[in-house]
C-alpha cells in the first residue's frame, strides 16, 4: 500500500482553497491568508491512515498556470473546491476543471469540495446535493465523492482531507460501478476467490468458525456473537439466498461488501483484498505470490513436512466422492482459485500415478508436487498462495537441501527427491521406460520425442519413500541440455539407454559420452527390449566390457513390453543415495575430471638416514574419459601417500 499521499486543492479564485488549508492546520478560521499557502507536510502518526500526507495549494490566475499544471501531474488526488455562494464556480467543474485534467492526461481520484456552507443561511446541509452531483459523477468516473464544508465555522474541514486520503488509499473505481451501483467484475472475481479460500470445508457457506477465522486473518480480532447475528440478520433481510443453513453464502458475502462500499467503508473491502495479496489493479502482487526465498547454488528445493501435509489435506477436501483419486471435475474445482492446472501443457496426469480412469491418486498428486518443487520451486510457491496455504511465512512449506557436492563428499545423501536424465538414441525405448515408471500401459506404436518429457513416482528405499524424477529431452533439446554445465550439475543420476536388439544403438551413447563432459554424474546403463534377440553392438567393445572398464555395473536388461523391469527404478534411487558407487572411473577421478584442474602431489621421503626432499610432480590434465587405466593405480598411490 502507498506510504504517502499528495493532495492538491484547485478551483476558481476566491473559493477558499487557502483558507481550508489554514483552518485545518490552525484548527480555527484565519480571515486573511496569503494567495497560495506553502506546501504542508503532515506526519503519518497524525493521520488515521498512518501515511505521510502532503497538502498543496494552487492559484487559478494566468500567472499560476505553469505551476498549476505541474502540480496537477504530481498529485495523487485532486480536491476541486467551489463556493456555495458562487454557482459559477460549481458550473465550471464539469465544463473546465475536469476536462482540463483529462487534457493533461491525468487520471487520479477527484473530490468535489463545496466551501462556505455557513453562507447558506440557517441550513448547512444541502438536501439536493446528490441530485446535483450525480450527473457529474456519471460523466466523470474519476469523481469519488463530494464533501461540503465551512472553513469559517470550521465544519467538515478534516473530513475533506480524510476522504481525499481514502480516495488514494482505498479507491472506489477499481471496485464499484457508481453508475450501475454494482461491484465491478474484477472485484467480484477477487471476492469470490477469497470466499472459496475461506470456505475451508468447501460446503459453499461460511459457518461461524470460518467467519471468525476470516475476521481474525483480516482484522486481527474475532467476531462477537452479537455482531455475527446482526450481520446474518441484515443479509437474511436484504440479500436473497445470502444465508443458508445458518451460514453466509457467496451471494451474502458479495452483498456485504457492496454495502460496505455504498456506505463509504471502502477501507473494509480493501483491507480484505490486500490481506489476500491483491494490488490496486485487483491482481495478486508478485511479492505475495513469490516471497523472498534464497536457494544457494548446487542445492535443490523440496516440500517440507508442512508442505506435504497441506497438499494432502487439500487433496482429501476436494476428493468429494472419496475414491482416493481426483477426477477432472474435482481438479477443476481445486484449481478454481488459481490460473488453472499448472501442468496442463505437460500431459498431466500421464506424468504421474493415476487410476484406471485417469484420475490422479494421492501418491501421484504428492509425487507431481515433489517434481514441480524440484524443477521449478517458484511455481509451487505461487500455487501455495493461489490454493490458500493457511500460515505465514508460506516459505515454511519448502525446504532447501544440502549442496549435492557436499553430499557426495560426505558419502551420505540427505535429500528425498532426485533428478535423473535419460539419454539414448531415437527408438531405444526411453519414453516407454518413463511410461513404465508412471505405471502407464505399454504403447507399441513409436513416435519420436519432440519435447522434454518428465515423469515422477515414489520409490520405497528401506521403508523410506523417495521421489524419483525421470527426464528425457528429445533429439532437439538433448545437446542443449548436456552441453550446459548448470543443467548437468543438477542431475543426480544419468541413465544411458540403448536398444539391445539394435546393433547401432550403443554407439550413440558411447559417442554422447565422448562429446560431453558427463563423468561427474553417477551413471547407469540400461539395455532395453530384452524380450527380443540380443544383437552384437557395432562398437569397439561390447556394453558389459565397456561398463566394467569404467568401474560400473553391467547394463541392466529390461523389457517394458513384457513388464520385466528388473527393479531398475530401485537401482536408480540406490545410486542417487550412494553416488560414489556409480561414478565412471571412480569418484575421486571423476570429481577431478569434472573440474578439469591440474593436480599437484608432493611426496617427501628420507634417503640414506638423511633428510632429503624428493618432490614429485604429477601433472595431469584429465580428458573427459578420465585417466587411462594404467595410470589409475599410480595416481591413487600418490594421492593416498601424500603427507
Amino acid at each position: 500500500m502507498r506510504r504517502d499521499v499528495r493532495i492538491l486543492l484547485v478551483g476558481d479564485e476566491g473559493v477558499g482553497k487557502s483558507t481550508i488549508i489554514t483552518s485545518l492546520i490552525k484548527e480555527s478560521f484565519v480571515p486573511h491568508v496569503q494567495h497560495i499557502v506553502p506546501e504542508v507536510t503532515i506526519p503519518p502518526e497524525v493521520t488515521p491512515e498512518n501515511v505521510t500526507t502532503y497538502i498543496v495549494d494552487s492559484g487559478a490566475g494566468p500567472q499560476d498556470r505553469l505551476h498549476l499544471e505541474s502540480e496537477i501531474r504530481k498529485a495523487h488526488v485532486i480536491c476541486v473546491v467551489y463556493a456555495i455562494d458562487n454557482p459559477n464556480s460549481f458550473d465550471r467543474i464539469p465544463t473546465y476543471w475536469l476536462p482540463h485534467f483529462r487534457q493533461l492526461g491525468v487520471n487520479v481520484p477527484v473530490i468535489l469540495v463545496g466551501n462556505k456552507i455557513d453562507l447558506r443561511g440557517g441550513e448547512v446541509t444541502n438536501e439536493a446535493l446528490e441530485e446535483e452531483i450525480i450527473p457529474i459523477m456519471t460523466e466523470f468516473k474519476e469523481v469519488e465523492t463530494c464533501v461540503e464544508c465551512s472553513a469559517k465555522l470550521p465544519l467538515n474541514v478534516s473530513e475533506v482531507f480524510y476522504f481525499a486520503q481514502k480516495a488514494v488509499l482505498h479507491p472506489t473505481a477499481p471496485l464499484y460501478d457508481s453508475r450501475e451501483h454494482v461491484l465491478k467484475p474484477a472485484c467480484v472475481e477477487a471476492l469470490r476467490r477469497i470466499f472459496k479460500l475461506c470456505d475451508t470445508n468447501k460446503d459453499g457457506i461460511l459457518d461461524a468458525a470460518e467467519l471468525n477465522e476470516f475476521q481474525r486473518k483480516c482484522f486481527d480480532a474475532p467476531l462477537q456473537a452479537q455482531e455475527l447475528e446482526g450481520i446474518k440478520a441484515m443479509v437474511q433481510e436484504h440479500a436473497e439466498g445470502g444465508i443458508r443453513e445458518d451460514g453466509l453464502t457467496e451471494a451474502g458475502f458479495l452483498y456485504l461488501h457492496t454495502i460496505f462500499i455504498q456506505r463509504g467503508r471502502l477501507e473494509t473491502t480493501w483491507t480484505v483484498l490486500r490481506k489476500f495479496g491483491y494490488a490496486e489493479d485487483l491482481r495478486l502482487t508478485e511479492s505475495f505470490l513469490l516471497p523472498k526465498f534464497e536457494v544457494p547454488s548446487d542445492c535443490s528445493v523440496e516440500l517440507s513436512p508442512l508442505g506435504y501435509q497441506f497438499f494432502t489435506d487439500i487433496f482429501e477436501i476436494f476428493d468429494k466422492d472419496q475414491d482416493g483419486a481426483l477426477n477432472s471435475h474435482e481438479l477443476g474445482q481445486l484449481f478454481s482459485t488459481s490460473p488453472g492446472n499448472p501442468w496442463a501443457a505437460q500431459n498431466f496426469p500421464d506424468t504421474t500415478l493415476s487410476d484406471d480412469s485417469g484420475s490422479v491418486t494421492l501418491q501421484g498428486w504428492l509425487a507431481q508436487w515433489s517434481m514441480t518443487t524440484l524443477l521449478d520451486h517458484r511455481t509451487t510457491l505461487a500455487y501455495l498462495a493461489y490454493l490458500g496455504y493457511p500460515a505465514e511465512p508460506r516459505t515454511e512449506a519448502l525446504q532447501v537441501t544440502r549442496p549435492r557436492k557436499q553430499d557426495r563428499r560426505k558419502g551420505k545423501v540427505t535429500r528425498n527427491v532426485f533428478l535423473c536424465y535419460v539419454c539414448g538414441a531415437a527408438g531405444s525405448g526411453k519414453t516407454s521406460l518413463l511410461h513404465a515408471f508412471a505405471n502407464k500401459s505399454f504403447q507399441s506404436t513409436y513416435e519420436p520425442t519432440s519435447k522434454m518429457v518428465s515423469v515422477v513416482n515414489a520409490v520405497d528405499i528401506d521403508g523410506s519413500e523417495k521421489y524419483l524424477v525421470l527426464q528425457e529431452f528429445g533429439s532437439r533439446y538433448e545437446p542443449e541440455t548436456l552441453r550446459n554445465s548448470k543443467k548437468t550439475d543438477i542431475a543426480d543420476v544419468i541413465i544411458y539407454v540403448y536398444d539391445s536388439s539394435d546393433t547401432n544403438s550403443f554407439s550413440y551413447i558411447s559417442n554422447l559420452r565422448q562429446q560431453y563432459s558427463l563423468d561427474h554424474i553417477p551413471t547407469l546403463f540400461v539395455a532395453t527390449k530384452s524380450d527380443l534377440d540380443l544383437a552384437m553392438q557395432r562398437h569397439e567393445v561390447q556394453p558389459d566390457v565397456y561398463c566394467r572398464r569404467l568401474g560400473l555395473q553391467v547394463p541392466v536388461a529390461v523389457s517394458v513390453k513384457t513388464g520385466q523391469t528388473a527393479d531398475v527404478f530401485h537401482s536408480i534411487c540406490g545410486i542417487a543415495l550412494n553416488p560414489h558407487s556409480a561414478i565412471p572411473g571412480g569418484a575421486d577421478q571423476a570429481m577431478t575430471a569434472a573440474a578439469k584442474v591440474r593436480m599437484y602431489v608432493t611426496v617427501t621421503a628420507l634417503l640414506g638416514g638423511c633428510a632429503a626432499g624428493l618432490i614429485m610432480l604429477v601433472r595431469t590434465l584429465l580428458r573427459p574419459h578420465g585417466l587411462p587405466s594404467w595410470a589409475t593405480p599410480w595416481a591413487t598411490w600418490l594421492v593416498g601417500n601424500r603427507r
Side-chain angles (χ1 to χ4, degrees):
M1 191 171 75
R2 186 185 293 277
R3 302 315 307 164
D4 67 313
V5 175
R6 189 173 185 86
I7 303 172
L8 172 66
L9 274 68
V10 305
D12 292 351
E13 291 290 339
V15 294
K17 303 183 294 294
S18 305
T19 310
I20 290 174
I21 296 173
T22 52
S23 290
L24 176 75
I25 303 305
K26 301 292 185 181
E27 296 184 345
S28 62
F29 176 63
V30 179
H32 303 290
V33 296
Q34 61 194 90
H35 175 58
I36 298 177
V37 173
E39 181 178 311
V40 175
T41 301
I42 301 176
E45 58 270 17
V46 177
T47 65
E49 300 292 345
N50 195 34
V51 293
T52 302
T53 303
Y54 305 98
I55 300 175
V56 182
D57 194 8
S58 67
Q63 72 278 11
D64 302 312
R65 185 177 183 85
L66 290 177
H67 175 261
L68 174 63
E69 290 185 357
S70 172
E71 289 297 341
I72 288 172
R73 289 190 171 96
K74 290 191 291 183
H76 299 148
V77 56
I78 301 173
C79 294
V80 184
V81 183
Y82 64 94
I84 297 297
D85 63 336
N86 181 0
N88 185 57
S89 66
F90 179 81
D91 294 339
R92 275 172 45 83
I93 292 173
T95 60
Y96 173 74
W97 286 109
L98 295 174
H100 184 51
F101 304 153
R102 289 185 174 183
Q103 188 178 11
L104 294 175
V106 172
N107 182 24
V108 298
V110 174
I111 307 294
L112 305 186
V113 180
N115 190 25
K116 306 185 183 181
I117 58 174
D118 53 284
L119 299 179
R120 189 171 278 144
E123 291 289 334
V124 294
T125 58
N126 181 6
E127 300 295 339
L129 179 62
E130 183 176 351
E131 188 177 321
E132 296 170 356
I133 296 300
I134 287 298
I136 298 176
M137 295 183 72
T138 300
E139 183 179 355
F140 298 94
K141 293 297 185 183
E142 56 268 38
V143 177
E144 291 274 331
T145 190
C146 180
V147 184
E148 290 192 332
C149 69
S150 168
K152 185 174 183 179
L153 291 178
L155 179 68
N156 286 351
V157 172
S158 60
E159 279 76 5
V160 170
F161 298 98
Y162 172 66
F163 281 109
Q165 275 188 337
K166 281 182 61 174
V168 176
L169 301 175
H170 313 297
T172 303
L175 307 184
Y176 190 72
D177 187 328
S178 300
R179 179 185 297 173
E180 302 295 333
H181 302 291
V182 294
L183 298 175
K184 288 188 173 178
C187 179
V188 171
E189 183 181 346
L191 291 173
R192 279 178 173 162
R193 176 178 173 272
I194 291 169
F195 178 88
K196 289 178 180 179
L197 293 177
C198 295
D199 180 17
T200 54
N201 60 3
K202 311 305 173 189
D203 63 354
I205 60 172
L206 299 184
D207 58 28
E210 290 165 337
L211 280 169
N212 264 309
E213 179 57 26
F214 165 77
Q215 181 80 4
R216 185 203 59 76
K217 177 181 175 71
C218 296
F219 305 103
D220 297 319
L223 276 172
Q224 299 300 317
Q226 188 175 354
E227 293 174 318
L228 181 57
E229 291 306 316
I231 288 171
K232 289 195 289 189
M234 181 180 67
V235 174
Q236 181 82 55
E237 182 180 353
H238 298 286
E240 184 177 351
I243 299 293
R244 176 165 53 84
E245 299 175 15
D246 204 37
L248 188 70
T249 65
E250 183 183 276
F253 188 71
L254 294 174
Y255 167 77
L256 278 178
H257 285 281
T258 304
I259 291 299
F260 290 147
I261 293 169
Q262 289 175 344
R263 294 181 178 177
R265 294 281 306 279
L266 286 102
E267 64 273 18
T268 301
T269 299
W270 273 117
T271 298
V272 171
L273 290 165
R274 286 168 178 148
K275 281 290 184 180
F276 282 85
Y278 287 93
E280 288 185 13
D281 59 1
L282 294 183
R283 296 179 181 177
L284 293 171
T285 64
E286 185 173 350
S287 60
F288 176 75
L289 292 173
L290 299 172
K292 187 176 180 181
F293 187 73
E294 299 290 342
V295 183
S297 62
D298 200 37
C299 297
S300 59
V301 182
E302 298 177 358
L303 288 173
S304 70
L306 290 171
Y308 279 115
Q309 187 61 55
F310 171 74
F311 284 117
T312 300
D313 291 344
I314 201 169
F315 179 97
E316 292 174 347
I317 287 170
F318 282 93
D319 181 19
K320 291 296 186 181
D321 55 11
Q322 297 184 342
D323 63 348
L326 295 179
N327 57 40
S328 58
H329 175 73
E330 290 167 337
L331 280 170
Q333 291 295 306
L334 189 154
F335 286 123
S336 66
T337 58
S338 76
N341 187 330
W343 316 299
Q346 302 171 23
N347 295 323
F348 175 83
D350 289 347
T351 53
T352 189
L353 289 183
S354 57
D355 63 16
D356 294 339
S357 67
S359 300
V360 64
T361 63
L362 176 58
Q363 186 180 4
W365 170 256
L366 296 178
Q368 184 74 27
W369 280 113
S370 298
M371 175 167 69
T372 301
T373 306
L374 177 71
L375 301 179
D376 181 15
H377 71 272
R378 288 165 61 90
T379 294
T380 301
L381 259 183
Y383 269 78
L384 286 166
Y386 288 133
L387 301 178
Y389 185 80
E392 291 295 339
R394 205 180 327 119
T395 50
E396 70 180 14
L398 306 182
Q399 60 189 20
V400 178
T401 68
R402 199 163 66 183
R404 286 177 176 82
K405 290 176 183 175
Q406 185 178 344
D407 269 354
R408 289 174 186 171
R409 269 200 313 271
K410 295 191 174 186
K412 183 180 179 182
V413 175
T414 56
R415 288 172 295 118
N416 298 301
V417 188
F418 303 108
L419 177 61
C420 174
Y421 290 165
V422 182
C423 302
S428 61
K430 303 185 298 294
T431 303
S432 293
L433 191 67
L434 267 64
H435 284 171
F437 184 49
N439 284 358
K440 308 303 176 189
S441 57
F442 175 74
Q443 302 291 326
S444 57
T445 55
Y446 168 67
E447 291 183 15
T449 302
S450 59
K451 63 180 182 179
M452 187 174 70
V453 177
S454 304
V455 300
V456 62
N457 202 344
V459 178
D460 184 88
I461 302 290
D462 299 328
S464 176
E465 195 170 69
K466 306 294 182 182
Y467 289 101
L468 182 61
V469 177
L470 302 185
Q471 280 190 337
E472 70 158 313
F473 309 100
S475 56
R476 183 185 303 178
Y477 299 104
E478 190 171 79
E480 175 190 331
T481 301
L482 298 183
R483 75 165 64 101
N484 187 332
S485 62
K486 288 184 178 179
K487 291 185 176 179
T488 57
D489 284 349
I490 65 172
D492 295 294
V493 183
I494 187 166
I495 300 176
Y496 296 109
V497 175
Y498 70 96
D499 179 352
S500 62
S501 68
D502 179 354
T503 58
N504 298 309
S505 189
F506 190 79
S507 294
Y508 177 89
I509 55 179
S510 175
N511 292 334
L512 203 68
R513 293 191 65 253
Q514 290 182 31
Q515 191 173 357
Y516 304 105
S517 179
L518 305 169
D519 280 1
H520 62 291
I521 309 174
T523 301
L524 180 68
F525 287 80
V526 175
T528 60
K529 307 183 185 180
S530 63
D531 55 302
L532 302 178
D533 291 339
L534 181 66
M536 293 292 290
Q537 296 294 318
R538 289 178 180 169
H539 190 261
E540 58 188 29
V541 294
Q542 292 305 295
D544 56 341
V545 177
Y546 183 91
C547 288
R548 288 193 187 99
R549 287 184 177 181
L550 289 173
L552 302 175
Q553 72 176 86
V554 297
V556 179
V558 302
S559 169
V560 174
K561 184 177 181 180
T562 62
Q564 297 172 335
T565 56
D567 211 10
V568 65
F569 307 117
H570 192 278
S571 299
I572 296 168
C573 240
I575 289 171
L577 285 165
N578 186 20
H580 285 176
S581 65
I583 297 290
D588 293 338
Q589 178 179 317
M591 287 174 70
T592 310
K596 291 187 176 179
V597 296
R598 289 178 174 85
M599 179 174 64
Y600 296 89
V601 181
T602 304
V603 177
T604 305
L606 291 175
L607 296 177
C610 301
L614 172 63
I615 301 176
M616 179 179 291
L617 173 64
V618 177
R619 181 176 178 179
T620 309
L621 180 59
L622 296 174
R623 296 171 292 133
H625 287 298
L627 289 166
S629 58
W630 57 265
T632 304
W634 287 101
T636 304
W637 182 86
L638 288 169
V639 174
N641 287 275
R642 182 172 50 187
R643 293 289 183 268

